Amino acid sequence: MDDITDHLHRVDALLAHPALCIVRLPASGDLGAAHRRLVEALRPRWGSSRNLATGGFVDPTLDEGRGLPLAAPFAGRVVELCGWAVGERWIGCGIVRDDDDGAPYLVAVTAHRADPATACLPAGDADDSGAGDGVPGTRWLQRLAAVTGRPRSRQWPVDWPSAEARLGTALPADYRNLAEYFGPGTFAGFLDVFLPSPVSGSDDLFPNVPCLVKNARGLAELAAVQAGIADLHHPYRLHPAPGGLLPWAGSVQADQFYWLTEGADPNRWPVIARNEDGDRQARFDGSTAEFVHRLLTDHRHPFSISELLDRPDFEPYEPHDPCDTSEDLRLP
């Protein structure tokens, strides 16, 4: 058995331990090269690692939410350390110095991580079942606001009767609440939720974010004249076809997120998530706010980006000034 295979087996064994666990990895030759090989071997599992320490210098910004539990057991002895956030576990590997003689050795470590899917919940919100205020997804909206650090609503005004008339359908109540609470912006620099403009005829206020109404109608019109667009969404059709897909969000990786408009009650519409080519998709039976919250926090959720984030956030967009030639700014 070669070193890297042995190291991977030892890392797998670590994952059976729920709390802090450290294992010394046997390595011959250049420890730095062995560490780099291990990081590359783990990359396909959990993506790019966080660099927690380099050349004996530990990142001073580390805290409980940024990998500190991996570095803390080796105070003053860390040479190199990389880590991954995987659900309720921190997983790391690196080079540390021995307590007794200071000799460096290769190490793998796991530590507990507060589950971001349940962190920062509003007081009294300990379960997932309640709708709150009679609107499906209300508690999930509260959770999303808490986990992204947006305690106050922007009170984004939308003429919902006009938007729904233009679409020819009512929209999910929790989406409407989410739109009014957050307004235009980006979740974790990854996800943009499409919104109707606050004033009829002002669809170009936020040119970087597709308008919900214009985007849905434009996509349907395009599919009507280009068979390839319709084929891309097979086996579904696009709204306004009965039970068709109605796009409500998109990602920087060109993933698209739709409601499957099946049934008369929009609050029961499931979410369909698809990548750009349509060869990867998932159905989610839950509210819009829950889908966004879990995408940001739950590594088990379809299309989740939680393993790439230290902390989810929301960055609002500022209205576009047609007289301003500079790039769009963000609200503080």
Side-chain angles (χ1 to χ4, degrees):
M1 181 183 297
D2 60 22
D3 280 354
I4 195 64
T5 302
D6 177 65
H7 294 165
L8 291 176
H9 282 311
R10 291 173 185 258
V11 170
D12 288 337
L14 275 181
L15 298 179
H17 297 273
L20 176 68
C21 191
I22 302 168
V23 63
R24 192 164 181 159
L25 302 175
S28 56
D30 185 347
L31 285 182
H35 177 233
R36 289 191 293 273
R37 286 195 300 270
L38 180 54
V39 171
E40 287 302 313
L42 294 172
R43 188 188 303 273
R45 297 185 179 186
W46 304 308
S48 297
S49 60
R50 294 166 167 80
N51 193 21
L52 308 180
T54 302
F57 177 77
V58 178
D59 183 349
T61 68
L62 294 186
D63 58 21
E64 291 295 320
R66 290 188 170 91
L68 181 61
L70 293 177
F74 311 108
R77 299 187 290 120
V78 178
V79 180
E80 305 286 338
L81 188 62
C82 293
W84 293 264
V86 183
E88 298 178 35
R89 190 76 60 81
W90 287 107
I91 302 169
C93 64
I95 301 170
V96 300
R97 297 191 179 280
D98 189 271
D99 264 332
D100 296 327
D101 59 15
Y105 62 91
L106 193 65
V107 67
V109 56
T110 62
H112 174 72
R113 175 176 180 243
D115 183 359
T118 57
C120 305
L121 298 186
D125 187 14
D127 65 84
D128 297 344
S129 58
D133 300 332
V135 176
T138 295
R139 287 190 178 178
W140 286 106
L141 176 59
Q142 294 170 348
R143 296 176 179 192
L144 187 58
V147 80
T148 56
R150 307 295 300 184
R152 292 187 178 180
S153 169
R154 293 177 71 192
Q155 299 181 340
W156 181 253
V158 176
D159 183 352
W160 292 110
S162 174
E164 293 176 337
R166 294 169 69 193
L167 281 170
T169 181
L171 293 168
D174 94 299
Y175 160 78
R176 291 169 47 160
N177 288 345
L178 185 152
E180 293 175 353
Y181 191 100
F182 285 95
T186 178
F187 288 94
F190 176 81
L191 181 77
D192 284 336
V193 175
F194 307 156
L195 308 179
S197 294
V199 180
S200 178
S202 62
D203 293 338
D204 295 326
L205 277 174
F206 296 88
N208 294 330
V209 183
C211 170
L212 177 78
V213 178
K214 287 181 65 175
N215 187 62
R217 294 174 65 176
L219 185 61
E221 291 169 2
L222 195 61
V225 297
Q226 294 188 18
I229 300 296
D231 292 343
L232 186 63
H233 293 84
H234 182 78
Y236 304 106
R237 294 185 295 170
L238 289 166
H239 178 80
L245 297 176
L246 177 56
W248 60 268
S251 81
V252 294
Q253 296 179 347
D255 304 315
Q256 293 292 312
F257 306 96
Y258 308 82
W259 294 299
L260 183 61
T261 60
E262 56 183 17
D265 183 0
N267 296 321
R268 296 183 177 273
W269 289 347
V271 172
I272 302 294
R274 296 165 62 88
N275 67 353
E276 183 178 17
D277 298 326
D279 56 5
R280 176 178 171 235
Q281 70 176 34
R283 172 174 172 143
F284 177 77
D285 290 283
S287 73
T288 306
E290 180 182 358
F291 183 90
V292 176
H293 184 278
R294 289 193 178 277
L295 180 144
L296 297 176
T297 63
D298 188 347
H299 72 284
R300 298 159 295 187
H301 191 61
F303 289 74
S304 172
I305 59 168
S306 64
E307 293 173 7
L308 305 178
L309 304 177
D310 291 317
R311 290 192 177 113
D313 64 4
F314 176 80
E315 196 169 359
Y317 291 127
E318 219 179 42
H320 174 68
D321 181 355
C323 299
D324 185 358
T325 58
S326 63
E327 294 185 1
D328 288 350
L329 302 175
R330 304 289 175 89
L331 293 175

